[in-house]
Amino acid sequence: MLRYVTTNEGKLREARAYLDDEVTQFDFDYPEVQADDVATVAAHGARTAYRRVGEPVLVDDAGLFVEGFDGFPGPYSAFVEDTLGVETVYRLADAELEDTSASFRCVLAYCDGEPFDATPDPVDREDRVVAAATGADGAETDAGDGGDALDDDPIPVKLFEGVVRGELVAPRGDGGFGYDPIFEYDGTTMAEMDATEKNAVSHRGRALEKFAEWVQQR
Ligand code: ITT
């Protein structure tokens, strides 16, 4: 059984809509490392959760990246939602920016303690961590890699990323969670979609699709 590591019911609902009954919630508030990309946070979370539970885990870290604010709030999205609230984020963007384009980004980090076959896809392995720490060749530090120098833990983590681009708008809709009411995709806010409709276009749906394909091939 796969443990979906989240305290957020909305994420769990979307994961279940995609992966059916194959997931169970692991309500574990893993300590988030201070990092400026969601992949690093997710990779750390997956290792911590795997150590805790000893079974396959999938951590989901996500954020809203407002282009005109250089990606803010990004990895600080939860803090900004809790302090300012999502409507204020929209109002700030509307007041300050001509273009309110934004992206949602989701990184899923999978860990089951097994070494994965090397693939060209993002794989976090010891060799990459060592390479990152020593500055050796191949040490990418962008979100797609997850092999961050912050982490000297050799437990492999596989990362799956999904991104969706849209527009910030005045809040509409009662569904979804978090920033969904202010995020419009193709004329509809994500809070106006049900979980299945949102998965068909969303950052999380795209990341879940990549994960499901990989699991099937494996
Ligand atoms: P867990 O860490 O326990 O999974 P969380 O809600 O803290 O729950 P994140 O740190 O990944 O999860 O979320 C960052 C913020 O982005 C938080 O304010 C969420 O409400 C928001 N968020 C994440 N995914 C979202 C989505 O699909 N739609 C709207 N907002 C989302």
Side-chain angles (χ1 to χ4, degrees):
M1 183 61 89
L2 176 62
R3 309 287 195 112
Y4 207 84
V5 185
T6 186
T7 59
N8 185 319
E9 293 293 327
K11 288 183 180 180
L12 185 70
R13 191 168 52 240
E14 289 167 24
R16 286 216 168 111
Y18 198 96
L19 300 169
D20 301 318
D21 297 329
E22 293 162 42
V23 285
T24 175
Q25 181 179 14
F26 181 25
D27 188 345
F28 175 47
D29 200 7
Y30 58 88
E32 293 200 359
V33 287
Q34 276 251 296
D36 59 7
D37 69 286
V38 289
T40 303
V41 174
H44 265 275
R47 292 196 188 90
T48 309
Y50 174 73
R51 274 197 221 99
R52 181 66 68 94
V53 75
E55 286 181 28
V57 293
L58 195 59
V59 161
D60 173 329
D61 200 50
L64 175 78
F65 295 75
V66 181
E67 290 175 15
F69 291 155
D70 289 338
F72 183 83
Y76 310 106
S77 295
F79 178 71
V80 170
E81 183 188 342
D82 289 346
T83 51
L84 295 181
V86 305
E87 187 160 357
T88 303
V89 173
Y90 159 69
R91 284 213 219 98
L92 287 173
D94 189 50
E96 297 291 328
L97 304 173
E98 274 178 30
D99 177 0
T100 62
S101 297
S103 301
F104 270 141
R105 234 177 109 209
C106 172
V107 173
L108 297 177
Y110 176 80
C111 181
D112 61 12
E114 299 288 327
F116 307 119
D117 288 341
T119 70
D121 293 325
V123 179
D124 188 338
R125 297 173 63 100
E126 186 176 22
D127 53 357
R128 286 196 178 231
V129 174
V130 171
T134 59
D137 200 18
E140 297 165 34
T141 52
D142 68 350
D145 147 46
D148 52 280
L150 279 173
D151 201 327
D152 58 1
D153 191 320
I155 302 175
V157 172
K158 178 101 178 154
L159 303 176
F160 306 87
E161 183 180 14
V163 180
V164 61
R165 194 157 181 259
E167 199 80 39
L168 295 189
V169 295
R172 294 198 320 265
D174 301 322
F177 66 95
Y179 294 89
D180 284 340
I182 63 162
F183 190 92
E184 187 183 73
Y185 177 83
D186 205 15
T188 307
T189 71
M190 293 217 166
E192 294 174 316
M193 304 176 187
D194 66 26
T196 306
E197 288 163 344
K198 183 179 165 188
N199 275 342
V201 295
S202 77
H203 50 313
R204 182 161 298 103
R206 289 170 188 182
L208 284 166
E209 185 181 12
K210 289 181 188 170
F211 169 71
E213 270 171 22
W214 179 75
V215 166
Q216 207 165 25
Q217 280 170 15
R218 204 167 164 232

